Amino acid sequence: MKKIAVVVTTPPYSNLSVTALDYVETALKSGVELVGVFFYQDGVMHANQQAQIASDEFQCLQQWQLLHQRFQLPLHLCITAAEKRGLSDGQPNNIHPNFTVSGLGELVELVNKADRLVQF
Amino acid sequence: MKKIAVVVTTPPYSNLSVTALDYVETALKSGVELVGVFFYQDGVMHANQQAQIASDEFQCLQQWQLLHQRFQLPLHLCITAAEKRGLSDGQPNNIHPNFTVSGLGELVELVNKADRLVQF
Amino acid sequence: MPTLHIVRQSTFNSDDFTQCLQVLRNNDVIVFIDDGCYNLHHPLISTIGSEANIQLSVIDKHAKARGITIDESLYTIINMNNLVELTLTTNRVITWQ
Amino acid sequence: MPTLHIVRQSTFNSDDFTQCLQVLRNNDVIVFIDDGCYNLHHPLISTIGSEANIQLSVIDKHAKARGITIDESLYTIINMNNLVELTLTTNRVITWQ
Amino acid sequence: MPHILPKLTAIINSKAPFSNTAGKDALDIALIFGSFEQPTSLFFQGDGVWQLIQEQNGALISVKDYLKTFAAFEFYDLENIYVCQESLFQRSLTTDFHIEKVQVLAKKKFADKLATHHTVLRF
Amino acid sequence: MPHILPKLTAIINSKAPFSNTAGKDALDIALIFGSFEQPTSLFFQGDGVWQLIQEQNGALISVKDYLKTFAAFEFYDLENIYVCQESLFQRSLTTDFHIEKVQVLAKKKFADKLATHHTVLRF
């Protein structure tokens, strides 16, 4: 069974991130193993607990958490990229607990665990 | 004496924002009246108190505050754009107090007060 | 050893699709998704020679959402399940965004 | 009633400068700043006819930072003070970014 | 002499509608300017013209379809809608739009119209 | 059969160096991959080739000049640096770069080299 890793670089207020979610959810539901999603560049904003998206718009942040809970999907956050964008695991901590605070070393791991890496 | 208003749409981690700062500082130092800076789109991230830029990189966020203090430069933050990007004037409040929480109505004001509007 | 090229940007506005075409090799697969769907009727498409055996696919709902018609004589209409499958049946993925 | 056009993007990668040229009128001023400096040697520059009396300017340090040479027979070299002045001496500003 | 009348504002739409917030951000400004009775014109150029074409359906890709709000332009006194003919032509697009009263202008006229405005924002 | 050797990774640089974080973000990945002894190649294409030209000076525009770090590629075992000749040609650029051991490849060879990699990231 082949394994996929995904890198997300687009912010939650872009429809490009809906496509990334759609891809990951489709893969999981069809039984493909997702070794993890690595959030980089503006993608890190998906982990911001304080971000408020209008209730009638697509809730990207919530959707990632649902996938994490349902499929134990690992969500890795590049902390350097995140800190530049106002996320912090200090006090006050605004990173959603479903995300794992990581560095780029984790991306090396994902590349080696996965048969394919897809960037969004 | 002619008056200028400025709109900033680029994030603090882009060098494009350094150019906006350079423009505003140059105008102020040459005696031009700046009726205000309106932060919109990714520009709102300049108001994020929690954002951490490496100490050896250019400190955009600090520079805006220096201009505010030295020249009483009004810094208007579009709160709708800001909330999407994890800024909040609730609890915990992570918006720097030198920024005025505003809506797009403030942009109408700036357009009418200014002889020229420059978008960055 | 085909490559899967995922094209997400309009070539009317950015250079990404042109760069994709620069590295295209025989038997590669191109999938147009997101704003990549605006390329479906662009003249650059005709520069892809048929002898190279390039498979051109489009995610149906991404084109439909944008009001873009799909010429089925040129493009294979696919869904997200097919894109996941293509990820595994090709040898590497490059995303042009 | 000249317009000041502030060009911030490389036309090798985006359509913005082309769109700027679409709305260019006689006596307008173009200032290349930031990545706009990559356009200084682009063939599109030669499509701007001299009869239109367009002033072409470049912010010196933005070009120098990028290692781009400036042909002084084509471009006026300016600094940020000059850009502020141009804002006030023209009638409106459009930023192409 | 101080300005007495509110200033003419132009908003140029240059991005396709769905992959980023540009179109929605420009629309939000247009509606606020309209509701403040600030005379405002909308220009569509480059990939911005995709915002006007018919048969779009953002719901298919989970976009809250802000393009439908274009139908309210008249209510907000946004009556000057200009489209760059050359941009349509480059994209092999017709002049069938999902809103009415759109003026398609040849390059020179598009440029001249834009130059009648005092303030220009571009998204 | 499980993979035994670490996988060949390619990083394509497609953006000019200063106006956004793409070049720096790609460099950070390259250095980490190098320090983990993950075999990694760097490709420069499109406006990414501007990252390699001589006489750049980010200090003039308050950029912390990450391009200087390119000199450390060899130290990190990043020894495969490929540039698209066609991209250079389109920009009227010469092959004078600010680092050594850069391989300029014609279109076909550039494409073939890229296709020897298992994983491709692009910034």
Side-chain angles (χ1 to χ4, degrees):
Chain A
M1 191 64 208
K2 285 184 179 170
K3 297 168 186 172
I4 295 178
V6 167
V7 174
V8 173
T9 65
T10 54
Y13 44 86
S14 161
N15 188 256
L16 295 170
S17 299
V18 178
T19 300
L21 257 163
D22 191 6
Y23 178 91
V24 170
E25 187 173 358
T26 303
L28 287 168
K29 286 186 174 166
S30 69
V32 174
E33 188 182 339
L34 260 288
V35 295
V37 181
F38 189 83
F39 292 86
Y40 196 47
Q41 297 188 312
D42 282 349
V44 298
M45 291 199 251
H46 287 273
N48 195 330
Q49 291 203 83
Q50 275 176 281
Q52 293 167 50
I53 303 286
S55 60
D56 54 351
E57 288 182 21
F58 188 76
Q59 304 295 317
C60 262
L61 300 93
Q62 232 171 63
Q63 292 302 314
W64 286 116
Q65 287 152 33
L66 288 175
L67 292 183
H68 171 79
Q69 285 156 13
R70 179 161 167 204
F71 297 98
Q72 292 77 51
L73 176 67
L75 305 173
H76 296 283
L77 183 71
C78 174
I79 188 65
T80 314
E83 286 180 343
K84 275 188 208 172
R85 290 161 178 86
L87 284 96
S88 168
D89 58 347
Q91 285 302 328
N93 183 338
N94 57 6
I95 296 172
H96 195 282
N98 286 345
F99 285 79
T100 308
V101 171
S102 303
L104 288 168
E106 187 61 46
L107 184 59
V108 180
E109 291 291 306
L110 290 175
V111 163
N112 283 319
K113 277 186 204 160
D115 298 285
R116 297 287 181 277
L117 179 131
V118 187
Q119 183 180 359
F120 284 101
Chain B
M1 191 64 210
K2 285 185 180 168
K3 297 168 186 170
I4 294 177
V6 167
V7 174
V8 173
T9 65
T10 54
Y13 43 85
S14 161
N15 187 257
L16 294 171
S17 299
V18 178
T19 300
L21 257 164
D22 191 5
Y23 178 91
V24 169
E25 188 172 0
T26 303
L28 288 168
K29 286 186 174 165
S30 68
V32 174
E33 188 180 343
L34 259 287
V35 294
V37 181
F38 189 83
F39 293 85
Y40 196 47
Q41 296 187 312
D42 282 349
V44 299
M45 291 199 251
H46 287 273
N48 195 329
Q49 289 203 85
Q50 273 176 281
Q52 293 168 51
I53 304 286
S55 60
D56 54 351
E57 288 182 18
F58 188 77
Q59 304 294 317
C60 262
L61 301 93
Q62 228 171 67
Q63 292 301 315
W64 285 115
Q65 288 152 33
L66 288 175
L67 293 183
H68 171 80
Q69 286 156 12
R70 181 164 162 201
F71 298 98
Q72 291 77 51
L73 176 68
L75 305 173
H76 295 283
L77 183 71
C78 175
I79 187 66
T80 314
E83 285 179 344
K84 273 188 211 173
R85 291 163 177 85
L87 285 94
S88 167
D89 58 349
Q91 285 302 328
N93 181 338
N94 57 5
I95 296 173
H96 196 283
N98 287 345
F99 286 78
T100 307
V101 171
S102 304
L104 287 169
E106 188 61 46
L107 184 58
V108 180
E109 291 290 306
L110 290 176
V111 162
N112 283 317
K113 277 186 203 160
D115 297 287
R116 296 288 180 278
L117 180 131
V118 187
Q119 182 180 2
F120 283 100
Chain C
M1 300 287 281
T3 300
L4 171 62
H5 301 274
I6 301 181
V7 176
R8 307 187 87 183
Q9 295 254 31
S10 160
T11 194
F12 294 100
N13 189 48
S14 94
D15 193 42
D16 299 85
F17 183 48
T18 308
Q19 289 176 41
C20 167
L21 294 178
Q22 278 184 328
V23 302
L24 202 60
R25 299 167 81 239
N26 292 351
N27 310 312
D28 279 359
V29 180
I30 303 181
V31 179
F32 297 95
I33 73 169
D34 301 313
D35 284 355
C37 297
Y38 294 121
N39 302 330
L40 295 189
H41 303 283
H42 192 279
L44 272 177
I45 297 294
S46 64
T47 66
I48 305 170
S50 58
E51 71 287 359
N53 188 34
I54 306 295
Q55 182 192 317
L56 301 175
S57 295
V58 186
I59 292 195
D60 198 21
K61 65 182 173 184
H62 289 191
K64 283 219 179 84
R66 290 166 176 78
I68 307 291
T69 56
I70 306 173
D71 177 349
E72 296 188 43
S73 70
L74 271 176
Y75 300 101
T76 308
I77 295 179
I78 66 168
N79 61 24
M80 198 53 88
N81 269 306
N82 303 130
L83 182 61
V84 173
E85 285 158 19
L86 281 169
T87 310
L88 300 174
T89 54
T90 52
N91 288 81
R92 72 194 62 73
V93 187
I94 309 182
T95 305
W96 303 90
Q97 65 184 2
Chain D
M1 302 287 286
T3 300
L4 171 63
H5 301 274
I6 300 181
V7 175
R8 306 188 88 184
Q9 295 254 33
S10 161
T11 195
F12 293 101
N13 188 48
S14 94
D15 192 41
D16 298 86
F17 183 47
T18 309
Q19 289 177 41
C20 168
L21 294 178
Q22 278 183 327
V23 303
L24 202 59
R25 299 167 81 239
N26 292 351
N27 309 310
D28 279 359
V29 180
I30 303 180
V31 179
F32 296 95
I33 74 170
D34 302 311
D35 284 355
C37 297
Y38 293 120
N39 302 328
L40 296 188
H41 303 284
H42 192 280
L44 271 179
I45 298 292
S46 64
T47 66
I48 305 172
S50 58
E51 71 288 359
N53 189 35
I54 307 293
Q55 183 191 314
L56 300 174
S57 295
V58 186
I59 293 193
D60 197 21
K61 65 182 173 185
H62 289 192
K64 282 216 179 87
R66 290 167 176 78
I68 307 293
T69 56
I70 306 173
D71 178 349
E72 296 190 43
S73 69
L74 271 177
Y75 299 101
T76 308
I77 295 179
I78 66 168
N79 61 25
M80 198 51 88
N81 269 304
N82 304 130
L83 182 60
V84 173
E85 286 158 19
L86 281 169
T87 310
L88 301 174
T89 54
T90 52
N91 289 81
R92 73 195 60 72
V93 186
I94 308 180
T95 305
W96 303 89
Q97 66 183 2
Chain E
M1 212 181 78
H3 287 273
I4 292 167
L5 292 171
K7 292 159 188 169
L8 266 180
T9 299
I11 301 173
I12 307 177
N13 282 284
S14 69
K15 303 284 185 301
F18 299 132
S19 286
N20 54 57
T21 65
K24 175 68 161 62
D25 292 339
L27 175 68
D28 287 346
I29 290 181
L31 297 183
I32 293 283
F33 274 54
S35 62
F36 276 73
E37 295 181 14
Q38 188 79 12
T40 302
S41 308
L42 289 165
F43 290 77
F44 292 85
Q45 189 190 14
D47 269 356
V49 301
W50 295 114
Q51 295 186 28
L52 291 174
I53 68 169
Q54 288 187 328
E55 309 288 346
Q56 298 183 75
N57 183 3
L60 289 173
I61 50 171
S62 308
V63 169
K64 186 196 159 194
D65 207 340
Y66 70 92
L67 299 175
K68 295 205 173 87
T69 313
F70 284 18
F73 281 160
E74 243 183 300
F75 177 80
Y76 284 90
D77 291 325
L78 298 165
E79 291 177 337
N80 299 315
I81 319 287
Y82 306 106
V83 183
C84 172
Q85 189 175 50
E86 197 172 65
S87 300
L88 289 175
F89 184 76
Q90 286 164 342
R91 289 161 184 77
S92 310
L93 293 174
T94 64
T95 55
D96 296 322
F97 306 120
H98 66 82
I99 50 168
E100 291 178 10
K101 298 192 182 166
V102 173
Q103 297 177 56
V104 179
L105 300 181
K107 193 163 82 167
K108 175 87 172 60
K109 284 198 174 164
F110 189 84
D112 288 346
K113 185 59 78 176
L114 190 57
T116 64
H117 292 73
H118 173 270
T119 302
V120 184
L121 288 157
R122 182 171 177 272
F123 294 97
Chain F
M1 210 180 81
H3 287 274
I4 292 164
L5 292 171
K7 292 160 188 170
L8 266 181
T9 299
I11 301 174
I12 307 178
N13 282 285
S14 69
K15 301 285 185 302
F18 298 132
S19 286
N20 53 58
T21 64
K24 175 68 160 62
D25 292 338
L27 175 68
D28 287 346
I29 290 181
L31 298 183
I32 293 284
F33 275 54
S35 62
F36 276 74
E37 295 180 13
Q38 187 81 13
T40 302
S41 307
L42 289 165
F43 291 77
F44 292 85
Q45 189 190 14
D47 268 357
V49 301
W50 295 113
Q51 295 186 27
L52 291 173
I53 68 169
Q54 289 187 326
E55 309 287 347
Q56 297 184 77
N57 182 3
L60 289 172
I61 50 170
S62 308
V63 169
K64 186 195 159 196
D65 207 341
Y66 70 92
L67 299 175
K68 294 204 173 88
T69 313
F70 283 18
F73 281 161
E74 244 184 297
F75 177 79
Y76 283 90
D77 292 324
L78 297 166
E79 290 176 338
N80 299 315
I81 320 285
Y82 307 105
V83 184
C84 172
Q85 189 174 50
E86 196 172 65
S87 301
L88 290 174
F89 183 76
Q90 287 163 340
R91 290 159 184 77
S92 310
L93 294 174
T94 66
T95 55
D96 295 324
F97 306 119
H98 66 82
I99 50 169
E100 290 176 11
K101 299 192 184 168
V102 173
Q103 298 178 55
V104 179
L105 300 182
K107 194 164 80 165
K108 175 87 172 62
K109 286 200 172 160
F110 189 83
D112 288 345
K113 185 57 79 176
L114 190 57
T116 63
H117 293 73
H118 173 271
T119 302
V120 184
L121 287 158
R122 182 171 177 270
F123 294 98

